Amino acid sequence: MTARPIVAAFSAALALLLITLGATPAAAHTALDTSDPADGSTTDGAVTRVVLTFTRPVTPLGDAVEVEGPDGPVTVEVTARQDGAVLVATPSDALTDGEYRLEWTVAAQDGHPLDGTVAFTVAGAPAEPEGGDGGAASEPATPGPTTSDEAPHPEDAGASAADGSASTAAAVGGVLARLGGAAALWGQLVGLGGLLFAALVLRGTDRRDVPDVLRVVRWTGALVLGGLVLRLAARAVVVAGGELGVALSGTGLADALAGSARTVFALQALGALAVLAGARRSLPGSWLAVVGVLLATAGQVLDGHSNTGTPWWLVVGVDVAHLAAAATWIGGVVMIGVVLRARRVQGRFLDAGRLGARFSTVGAVAVVVVGVAGVLLAVEILDRPAQLWETSWGLVLLAKVAVVGIVAAFGAHQHFRVVPTLEAPGHGARRAHAAAGRLQRGARSETTLLVVVVVLTAWLVAASVHV
């Protein structure tokens, strides 16, 4: 990899970031726009319905809306209007004087679960419906057994413990869902990158290494499937609020596949199965695996924030370029290690100079595309530059960029120093063998750092920008 492409990539990234500083919001992301009654308001008179208006259509998850009043939970019926952009919660009885807290849970168009609360107060409404037998109403209630307010009721303690357990389960589910997403994403990138590596880098006599590369590609299909299973189960737990019984039911799994999530999971699962069954010993014979990585990539594109970006065709095009370039880079680094290890085990001449030089050109282009496309996607996703340091999403994005920079610098050192040594004429076999060993060890180090990048990427895909 030469210095010029790296400088070009970072220069383009810097220029686009400067443009971002003056940019207006690129897209309206899914969020609660208004509520009636409004959050923090006091309503004069009984409330017969609560209206939640979202910036984009949503899909109700579970009960969708739960209301807690001064006397406990309130039964509500939830209906969707305006193609899902408005949810109307109608209580079984009008809400009278007291403080109320409403919790809503929905899925955005990209399948991401969203939740929030609305608190309001009702005043000036009669506590009891007018009419009825006034004499009976005026009679004092028959005294009954009393319970000291100072002693907690056993049922209350059990409910608190259950709530705590559900919250813990939901938190663990969130972590596992992101780890499952990271495993699936890693498998997709390495699978696609491995096929591109076999097609673009392994030429001439190097084509005898194609079966070793395709063997690794085949097992990326199994990794994607395992990641999807973990992600779906954990996602169901999150959507169910930590209630394991609900999460594992048909309703819980259906809620976990709300919105575009059903299409995303279907495409990725079908793609993974095709890769697992279709990766053979030659590229022409692995046509089904090629179809599989394309299906899985399509699912990945639909699984991110770009799915709701505008203009859709442009944002999706940039996302596809970003994924393809990242796969070329990540898959190439992994496959260099695979090929050199296979050659070493088989006692063959490593010939790492030619291998490194070919990947250097491909990798340089990939780095440029990753840098430019990544910045363009950030410009579209972020409403304002301050979200880079004001939100957890922005901070994770900055952390990812930092790690990517380290990987790029590490890779540049490999290709500035190690590859020229391998290509230089007149060096003995011992020196070439030692340089090849450094290239292999460097590939392992880069792979470790790239795993971190993919884990951070999976978190970004699953998280809300406004968190």
Side-chain angles (χ1 to χ4, degrees):
M1 183 180 298
T2 60
R4 185 172 298 175
I6 295 178
V7 172
F10 281 100
S11 297
L14 178 60
L16 287 171
L17 282 175
L18 291 176
I19 293 173
T20 306
L21 295 177
T24 56
H29 300 287
T30 303
L32 180 64
D33 187 18
T34 62
S35 66
D36 182 19
D39 186 32
S41 66
T42 299
T43 300
D44 185 15
V47 172
T48 58
R49 67 175 188 172
V50 180
V51 181
L52 304 177
T53 303
F54 295 86
T55 56
R56 293 193 174 195
V58 297
T59 302
L61 294 180
D63 294 331
V65 175
E66 297 180 355
V67 178
E68 186 79 16
D71 298 323
V74 178
T75 302
V76 296
E77 179 182 355
V78 180
T79 57
R81 299 180 181 177
Q82 298 183 21
D83 295 326
V86 175
L87 295 184
V88 179
T90 305
S92 54
D93 296 311
L95 305 181
T96 56
D97 286 7
E99 296 181 352
Y100 294 85
R101 177 183 176 87
L102 178 148
E103 296 183 356
W104 53 267
T105 307
V106 299
Q109 287 177 306
D110 57 9
H112 292 156
L114 304 172
D115 57 70
T117 61
V118 174
F120 57 91
T121 301
V122 177
E128 296 289 344
E130 295 182 1
D133 188 354
S138 62
E139 292 180 2
T142 302
T146 60
T147 303
S148 171
D149 292 336
E150 297 180 359
H153 196 284
E155 293 182 358
D156 295 337
S160 298
D163 291 341
S165 177
S167 298
T168 301
V172 173
V175 174
L176 293 179
R178 285 165 179 166
L179 289 177
L185 178 58
W186 178 262
Q188 292 168 24
L189 293 175
V190 174
L192 174 57
L195 291 173
L196 291 173
F197 183 86
L200 301 175
V201 179
L202 297 181
R203 300 196 299 270
T205 57
D206 290 336
R207 298 200 68 80
R208 65 183 298 184
D209 296 299
V210 168
D212 293 314
V213 169
L214 293 179
R215 188 178 302 112
V216 175
V217 169
R218 180 187 307 120
W219 290 110
T220 62
L223 179 60
V224 173
L225 285 175
L228 289 176
V229 170
L230 175 60
R231 185 184 177 198
L232 177 59
R235 179 185 173 94
V237 173
V238 173
V239 172
E243 297 291 341
L244 298 180
V246 175
L248 299 178
S249 66
T251 302
L253 293 175
D255 285 343
L257 294 173
S260 65
R262 181 178 291 103
T263 303
V264 167
F265 276 84
L267 287 173
Q268 292 181 341
L270 287 174
L273 288 171
V275 170
L276 189 59
R280 302 299 181 182
R281 293 184 59 82
S282 67
L283 279 175
S286 301
W287 64 268
L288 183 59
V290 175
V291 173
V293 297
L294 293 178
L295 287 174
T297 300
Q300 186 63 41
V301 170
L302 294 176
D303 192 31
H305 296 281
S306 60
N307 187 40
T308 56
T310 54
W312 184 84
W313 62 269
L314 178 60
V315 178
V316 169
V318 173
D319 200 8
V320 169
H322 186 254
L323 280 171
T328 302
W329 187 11
I330 293 173
V333 169
V334 171
M335 294 309 164
I336 282 181
V338 169
V339 169
L340 291 179
R341 182 179 183 279
R343 291 179 180 179
R344 193 181 297 273
V345 170
Q346 297 165 11
R348 296 160 49 199
F349 178 58
L350 297 181
D351 197 13
R354 183 169 57 184
L355 191 68
R358 285 176 180 169
F359 179 66
S360 178
T361 302
V362 175
V365 175
V367 169
V368 173
V369 176
V370 166
V372 174
V375 173
L376 286 173
L377 289 173
V379 170
E380 192 282 326
I381 292 172
L382 295 172
D383 290 334
R384 60 186 190 281
Q387 286 182 319
L388 283 172
W389 55 86
E390 290 180 350
T391 66
S392 58
W393 196 93
L395 292 174
V396 172
L397 176 61
L398 292 177
K400 173 188 170 181
V401 171
V403 178
V404 169
I406 294 173
V407 177
F410 197 93
H413 171 76
Q414 288 284 100
H415 296 293
F416 290 154
R417 305 297 296 272
V418 179
V419 172
T421 300
L422 291 168
E423 292 185 291
H427 293 303
R430 179 176 297 179
R431 183 172 181 181
H433 192 78
R438 291 201 301 273
L439 183 63
Q440 184 179 3
R441 290 191 297 272
R444 285 200 298 264
S445 299
E446 289 182 67
T447 299
T448 301
L449 291 172
L450 287 170
V451 168
V452 176
V453 172
V454 170
V455 170
L456 294 176
T457 301
W459 192 96
L460 292 170
V461 170
S464 170
V465 180
H466 304 284
V467 174

